[in-house]
């Protein structure tokens, strides 16, 4: 069993008749955690214990933080114009006030082969959980699509970026990707060596967004993602 936050106005009986303010800014909540007392007599210091042996802790509204749980899959990619094997790398970026609970922020799919015009099915799962001190810097994904040719060489063929859904429930997103257009010298190397033009620094897609204003690019394929989103404490904090 997990932690349950309960409005105090519906649980005043548990608090043995104590009176609390009904002001929304000073609203108190009960945090119930089903654990056993350390000394066997149901004592937890300043915490309150109900008859079921549940640890009950008082929380003010300021103690609550919004939490967001994203889980789903990188379904696949389509319209990349290649017959080699492709795999996808996803890097999750957020603002500085976001705390990642799950340890993984980078996901890489397996290599998939497909006929031209058909989808590359990766079906790679992800599970991402955050606590946020502020809502600015909502999570977004940075994508790099890699090609594996017959000689075993890998090369980036396209880049992409999309924001995560902001509503709870199921969402399906199609992320358009792009490839940089190089000068004549790089295009000559690409023609004779089979290398695709790539960015000199990954910061252009992650941090130095203004650098893309002077970057020439062309549309590439698109990546299909499926999300399930769970929002916690948003209604209690008046967030939408």
């Amino acid at each position: 069993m997990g932690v349950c936050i309960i409005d105090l106005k519906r649980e005043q009986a548990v608090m043995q008749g104590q009176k609390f303010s009904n002001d929304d800014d000073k609203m108190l909540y009960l945090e119930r955690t089903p654990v056993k007392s350390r000394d066997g007599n149901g004592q937890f210091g300043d915490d309150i214990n109900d008859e079921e042996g549940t640890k009950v802790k008082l929380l003010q509204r300021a103690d609550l933080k919004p939490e967001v749980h994203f889980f789903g899959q990188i379904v696949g990619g389509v319209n990349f114009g290649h017959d080699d094997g492709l795999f996808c790398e996803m890097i999750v970026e957020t603002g500085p006030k976001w705390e990642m609970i799950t340890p993984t922020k980078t996901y890489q799919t397996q290599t998939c082969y497909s006929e031209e015009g058909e989808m590359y099915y990766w079906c790679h799962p992800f599970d991402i959980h955050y606590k946020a001190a502020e809502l600015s810097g909502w999570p977004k994904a940075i994508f790099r699509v890699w090609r594996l040719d017959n000689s075993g060489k890998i090369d980036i063929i396209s880049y992409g970026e999309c924001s995560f859904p902001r509503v709870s429930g199921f969402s399906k997103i199609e992320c358009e990707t792009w490839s940089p257009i190089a000068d004549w010298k790089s295009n000559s190397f690409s023609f004779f060596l089979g290398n695709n033009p790539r960015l000199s620094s990954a910061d252009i897609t992650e941090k130095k967004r203004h650098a893309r204003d002077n970057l020439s690019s062309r549309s590439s394929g698109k990546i299909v993602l499926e999300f399930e989103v769970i929002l916690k404490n948003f209604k209690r904090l008046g967030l939408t």
Side-chain angles (χ1 to χ4, degrees):
M1 296 178 63
V3 175
C4 179
I5 306 298
I6 306 173
D7 191 335
L8 182 62
K9 291 188 294 185
R10 298 195 301 270
E11 293 289 327
Q12 288 182 348
V14 180
M15 304 307 301
Q16 301 176 354
Q18 298 183 39
K19 303 297 182 181
F20 296 93
S21 171
N22 289 330
D23 188 350
D24 287 341
D25 293 334
K26 299 179 181 179
M27 180 63 65
L28 294 177
Y29 298 89
L30 298 178
E31 182 184 68
R32 292 184 157 202
T33 308
V35 296
K36 295 182 178 179
S37 59
R38 296 174 182 173
D39 54 5
N41 58 9
Q43 298 299 320
F44 290 90
D46 295 334
D47 297 326
I48 301 171
N49 296 271
D50 63 8
E51 296 179 354
E52 298 178 357
T54 302
K55 183 178 179 181
V56 181
K57 182 179 180 181
L58 285 176
L59 294 177
Q60 292 189 359
R61 183 170 180 171
D63 296 325
L64 302 178
K65 287 186 178 181
E67 297 184 27
V68 190
H69 194 173
F70 304 96
F71 58 96
Q73 63 175 337
I74 307 172
V75 178
V78 68
N79 297 333
F80 285 100
H82 289 274
D83 54 4
D84 294 322
L86 299 183
F87 63 93
C88 177
E89 178 185 12
M90 182 178 77
I91 303 172
V92 183
E93 296 289 338
T94 62
K97 299 295 185 178
W98 288 70
E99 176 188 354
M100 176 174 276
I101 299 176
T102 52
T104 304
K105 61 177 293 186
T106 302
Y107 296 84
Q108 180 177 309
T109 72
Q110 80 282 0
T111 302
C112 179
Y113 293 83
S114 176
E115 299 292 335
E116 185 174 355
E118 300 293 330
M119 176 174 284
Y120 291 83
Y121 284 99
W122 294 313
C123 300
H124 190 82
F126 55 82
D127 190 341
I128 308 168
H129 191 183
Y130 282 103
K131 283 185 179 180
E134 61 183 24
L135 295 187
S136 61
W138 192 267
K140 65 179 180 180
I142 308 296
F143 292 100
R144 301 187 184 104
V145 179
W146 296 75
R147 179 187 67 176
L148 174 65
D149 62 16
N150 294 330
S151 62
K153 181 179 66 176
I154 61 174
D155 193 22
I156 299 177
I157 62 170
S158 65
Y159 303 83
E161 177 183 336
C162 72
S163 295
F164 282 13
R166 296 174 179 263
V167 295
S168 59
F170 176 79
S171 298
K172 186 175 182 178
I173 294 179
E174 294 183 353
C175 176
E176 299 289 343
T177 66
W178 52 273
S179 301
I181 298 177
D183 55 16
W184 68 269
K185 183 177 181 180
S186 297
N187 285 333
S188 299
F189 278 106
S190 177
F191 178 79
F192 289 105
L193 301 179
N195 296 326
N196 289 283
R198 66 166 62 185
L199 300 177
S200 59
S201 173
D203 288 344
I204 294 179
T205 59
E206 298 175 14
K207 300 176 182 179
K208 301 178 181 179
R209 298 291 304 279
H210 60 278
R212 285 198 58 186
D213 295 339
N214 300 321
L215 180 66
S216 298
S217 62
R218 62 174 178 268
S219 177
S220 186
K222 60 184 177 182
I223 301 170
V224 181
L225 302 105
E226 292 180 348
F227 288 88
E228 288 284 354
V229 183
I230 299 175
L231 305 179
K232 181 180 179 181
N233 294 333
F234 275 68
K235 289 185 179 180
R236 292 188 177 91
L237 297 173
L239 303 174
T240 56

